Each structure stands twice: as structure tokens, then as C-alpha cells.
Amino acid sequence: MLTTWSVRRRLTLLAGLTAMAGCLVAVVVITLLAHLVLTDYRLDQAAAAGRRTTFNVESYAPSLSPVIPTEEVELIQVTDQRGRIRQASARLLNKPPLTRVTPTGDDGRVDTVICTDQVPGEHCLITVAHRVRVEGAYWTVYSYVPVVPWYVHPLYLLGAALTVMLLTALAAGGASMTVRRALAPVRTIKEELAEITATDLGRRVPPSRHRDEISDLADTINQTLDGLEAAVEQQRRFASDASHDLRSPITAMRTQVEEARLHPEEANWDHTSKALLGSIDRLQAIVGDLLTLSRLDSGAPGAKEPVDLGELVGEELDRRPRGKEIVRDLRPGVVVTGDRIRLARLLTNLLDNAERHAESQVTVAVGQRGEQALLEVQDDGAGIAPDQREIVFHRFTRLDASRNRDAGGTGLGLPIAREIAQAHGGTLTIEDSSSGARFVLHLPLRNGYHG
């Protein structure tokens, strides 16, 4: 079973462990330095006591008193050339020599550490041995001080442990308080988001008082909510428009059937069946367009193959039933990468729209501009006002007057065409023209093809 740890707990634990690790490192370094300093201090004490005793031996030997007066160093022994004890401090009376180390060379002094069980309460001792000349022989003065333990002193160890725990607790507490204050806006954002539902998308999370990462998060969430609200509103409008457009042919079909059933002996069944087939065709066209939009909205990938745009347009125009006059201006060798079937659907939708609104003629052109392939479809109808050129790409859009959608359209052809263009990395727009509406498709040329 997984244990849930909040961000605050994790950061508090991390801060506490980090502080503890830092304090421990500092304690180790300080302890090493203190150990080194105290060891040097005790070595100097032993050396100073040894020098004082050496001066006394030089002055009063061989008639020395058995006991050496001591001050700071309580462990001192003096041995003659034969290793016999000639003088010692009170704690070392009647004790054998603790070491046989003797100075060599010109220095006349040697420093070492010895471990012995001869001195109660002491185990290892820092030893300083001085050589002194007495009546032509060499005696040795040994001064001993206890070795400094690795922990320096029990009180020091206790103080260091308490300091580490105190600093760790302060660091953890400070981190917990800081994180709690820093995450307070996040908690507010969470509570606000929990209250926002699909029916109340107008609410927004409050911004942070400071320009920081939390403020950026609030801005991003609000931008996402803006997009979500727009998408939901668009979906609602789309569902409403789709329901209306689907209801129209269904209502017409129901009316025709009910009229025929009321007077079956007078009904013109041939006329009724043709009318029903017309409504069914319209219903089928709407459903087909909705399915196409659904696939495009889901991001279903299309084919990625080289397509000669001029060749594709020519083939589609050749197989298209004769309606309005179509003027061709197709440049060969304009190759793009895409799905041939979808691009054909785009062209068909543009041609259907142009023929519905043209007076007598539709012009289709394929060309190239820089690194872009161009497809233009222009009619000689009434045209589209500049402020309505984007509106026509909205789903189920109806314009007034001469460009109002007739019974042959579903209101989805141009939105589908733009979706296909965007899926191919291109754009579909309406540009200025001398007459009628001029739809222009821009697609990136396939690498390696330049006309």
C-alpha cells in the first residue's frame, strides 16, 4: 500500500535531512580542527614541562629528590643512561619506565604516542622525551599527557549533538512554514477548480499576489479555462445547429409520409418517394459531413504521399458533372505531400460552394508562390463581405442575402475544407477579388519539388 506524502511533508523532510547533513559535516570538520588544536596544545604542555624538568636535572643531578614537583603535567619520569628511574612525579612513583624511546640526532627530543596499562585512568599518552647530559652520560626526561579522544570531550559531543538537532528542527520548521505559505495559493486554486463545473465555466482562479511560478500556473489555468469555455460553447452551438439541420429533413420526411397516409388513395406515391429520397440524401450528406469532421477533430492521420496538385484538380474536374462553366489554369509539377482523398474532398467542397453561388462561371487555378503551392477557386457571384470572411468557416454558418446557403449545402463544406488544409500544414482563406468570392489554399511544397 502506497503512503501518500504531501509536497509539504516531502520538502520538510528534505530540508531537515539536508540541514542535518550540513550540520554533521560542519561538526566533523570542527571536531577535527578542535582535535588538532587540542593535541598541539597538549603536546606543547608536555614539551614545556619536559624542558623545565630538564633544566632542573642539569642543575641538581645527580642529587635529585625522588618526586618531581608538577603543575599542569602530572606524569613525568627521569631515567639515567641505564634506564633506571631517578625521579618521577607523584602519580608515577614506583612505576617502571613507561617507554624506552630515546632521542637521537642533534635535536635531543622525540615526540610519540604510547599505550600502557600502568597509569590508572589513562590508556594512550602523548609522550615527549628530552635528552639531558649528566656527568658525561645521557639521561632522558619523559613527560606524558593524555591523548585527546576523537570526540574531544563528552560535553563537547553532547553540545554538538544538541546543536545538530536544534538546527535540524529549525530548518525543518522553517521549511514547513515556507512551503505552507508558498502552497497556499495552490490550495486556493485547487478549491476553486473543484467548484468549477461544465455549467459554470465563467469562473476563474484568483491570481497570485506575487509574480512567481504560482502566478504563472494561475495564468495558464485561466487560459486553459478560457479555451475550454470557448470549446464547450462551440460544442453546444455545434450540437444545436446539428440538431436543427438534422431535424429539418426528418420533419419534412415525416410531414410527407403523414400527408400520404391521410389520403392514401389520392397520394402521388412517385412524387412522395422522390421527395423522401431528396430528404434522405440531405440527411445522409449531413451525417457524412459530421463523421468527416469527427475524424478530423480526432486528429486521425491521413496518408503522406506526393500529390501533383494540378493533376489532382484536373482529374476531379474531368469526372465532375457539367454545371457552371469552369475555367482552368492548372500549372503542372506543383507537388505537395498529403492525403489524395482528403485533398480531393477539399477541392470538391470548394467547387460545390462556388457553383452554388456563381452566376455563370467558376475559375480554378493551381500555381506556386515561393515555397508554397496555391489552389484558387473563384466564382463570379455576389462575393463575401470582408467582415464575414471568417464567419463562413464556422460550422453551420448561414449568411444573409445572395450567399445564403441553399438546400444543396449542409453548412459544413467550408469548415471541412479548412480542417483538411490545416491538417496538411496549410491555410485556407478568402482573399480580395474583382468579382465574386476567391478561396485560396496555401500548402507547403514537397521537399525537392520546385517548379
Side-chain angles (χ1 to χ4, degrees):
M1 182 177 178
L2 295 178
T3 302
T4 301
W5 279 68
S6 64
V7 173
R8 180 181 174 186
R9 286 186 178 182
R10 294 199 300 270
L11 291 180
T12 299
L13 178 61
L14 178 62
L17 293 177
T18 302
M20 179 180 291
C23 291
L24 289 176
V25 171
V27 166
V28 169
V29 173
I30 294 173
T31 302
L32 291 175
L33 292 176
H35 185 275
L36 180 62
V37 170
L38 288 177
T39 299
D40 287 343
Y41 174 73
R42 289 193 175 182
L43 184 62
D44 291 341
Q45 279 186 318
R51 284 194 297 271
R52 288 194 298 269
T53 303
T54 299
F55 176 78
N56 291 332
V57 171
E58 288 179 338
S59 301
Y60 302 108
S63 57
L64 296 173
S65 63
V67 180
I68 301 175
T70 59
E71 297 177 4
E72 296 177 345
V73 177
E74 298 179 350
L75 302 175
I76 301 176
Q77 288 181 324
V78 178
T79 63
D80 59 17
Q81 69 276 14
R82 296 181 181 180
R84 295 173 300 179
I85 297 295
R86 301 302 295 268
Q87 193 178 29
S89 59
R91 291 186 61 186
L92 293 180
L93 281 177
N94 304 319
K95 300 285 185 181
L98 301 183
T99 181
R100 297 292 183 178
V101 175
T102 56
T104 59
D106 298 332
D107 188 21
R109 168 180 165 177
V110 64
D111 303 335
T112 187
V113 175
I114 64 169
C115 294
T116 179
D117 56 359
Q118 297 294 321
V119 183
E122 306 293 347
H123 180 57
C124 292
L125 301 170
I126 298 174
T127 304
V128 178
H130 286 89
R131 183 176 57 195
V132 56
R133 188 176 181 83
V134 177
E135 297 181 346
Y138 287 105
W139 291 16
T140 305
V141 176
Y142 296 100
S143 52
Y144 310 97
V145 291
V147 169
V148 180
W150 64 268
Y151 52 83
V152 179
H153 193 276
L155 291 179
Y156 169 83
L157 185 62
L158 177 61
L162 292 176
T163 301
V164 169
M165 289 189 290
L166 177 61
L167 292 179
T168 299
L170 290 176
S176 177
M177 183 178 299
T178 301
V179 173
R180 180 176 61 82
R181 292 180 178 177
L183 293 181
V186 176
R187 184 167 54 254
T188 303
I189 292 174
K190 174 186 173 183
E191 295 172 353
E192 188 70 20
L193 283 176
E195 297 177 2
I196 295 176
T197 63
T199 59
D200 189 23
L201 290 176
R203 298 176 61 174
R204 296 294 180 266
V205 300
S208 174
R209 293 178 298 174
H210 309 286
R211 295 305 304 176
D212 52 15
E213 291 81 357
I214 305 299
S215 178
D216 294 340
L217 174 62
D219 292 342
T220 302
I221 291 175
N222 286 333
Q223 292 171 7
T224 303
L225 290 174
D226 291 340
L228 180 60
E229 183 181 18
V232 170
E233 183 61 29
Q234 181 182 5
Q235 192 71 19
R236 288 171 180 166
R237 290 197 304 267
F238 180 76
S240 176
D241 293 338
S243 300
H244 180 273
D245 276 54
L246 288 172
R247 185 174 57 201
S248 296
I250 293 174
T251 302
M253 293 167 63
R254 182 181 183 87
T255 301
Q256 292 157 359
V257 172
E258 288 178 347
E259 288 180 354
R261 289 188 62 192
L262 286 174
H263 307 284
E265 67 284 351
E266 299 177 3
N268 186 341
W269 290 104
D270 182 62
H271 175 76
T272 301
S273 63
K274 289 181 180 179
L276 289 174
L277 286 175
S279 296
I280 291 173
D281 289 341
R282 176 168 174 73
L283 188 61
Q284 187 176 9
I286 294 175
V287 172
D289 285 346
L290 288 174
L291 288 175
T292 300
L293 278 174
S294 177
R295 295 190 188 100
L296 291 172
D297 288 341
S298 67
K304 300 293 183 182
E305 58 182 346
V307 178
D308 188 315
L309 202 56
E311 178 184 333
L312 172 66
V313 173
E315 292 176 356
E316 293 298 319
L317 292 178
D318 289 340
R319 68 166 60 100
R320 188 176 180 84
R322 297 292 179 179
K324 304 289 176 64
E325 178 188 359
I326 296 181
V327 179
R328 308 185 187 194
D329 181 14
L330 309 180
R331 178 177 175 177
V334 180
V335 181
V336 298
T337 300
D339 189 316
R340 190 178 188 87
I341 297 177
R342 290 186 178 181
L343 290 175
R345 176 65 184 276
L346 183 154
L347 173 64
T348 299
N349 289 1
L350 293 181
L351 290 173
D352 289 343
N353 178 78
E355 287 191 351
R356 281 198 302 272
H357 301 293
E359 294 292 338
S360 60
Q361 180 179 284
V362 175
T363 301
V364 181
V366 173
Q368 177 182 336
R369 182 185 299 164
E371 300 294 324
Q372 296 285 317
L374 269 67
L375 168 63
E376 299 183 10
V377 177
Q378 180 178 351
D379 63 65
D380 60 353
I384 302 176
D387 60 342
Q388 294 182 322
R389 290 179 179 176
E390 281 298 314
I391 298 177
V392 299
F393 292 106
H394 296 173
R395 299 173 184 183
F396 295 109
T397 295
R398 295 174 175 83
L399 297 183
D400 297 331
S402 62
R403 298 200 65 87
N404 191 21
R405 177 169 55 84
D406 63 8
T410 63
L412 297 174
L414 294 180
I416 289 175
R418 172 167 276 190
E419 292 281 351
I420 294 174
Q422 292 175 346
H424 284 76
T427 60
L428 177 61
T429 57
I430 301 175
E431 298 186 4
D432 295 334
S433 61
S434 58
S435 65
R438 176 169 163 255
F439 289 81
V440 181
L441 169 69
H442 291 79
L443 292 177
L445 286 170
R446 183 176 178 84
N447 292 338
Y449 288 88
H450 300 279

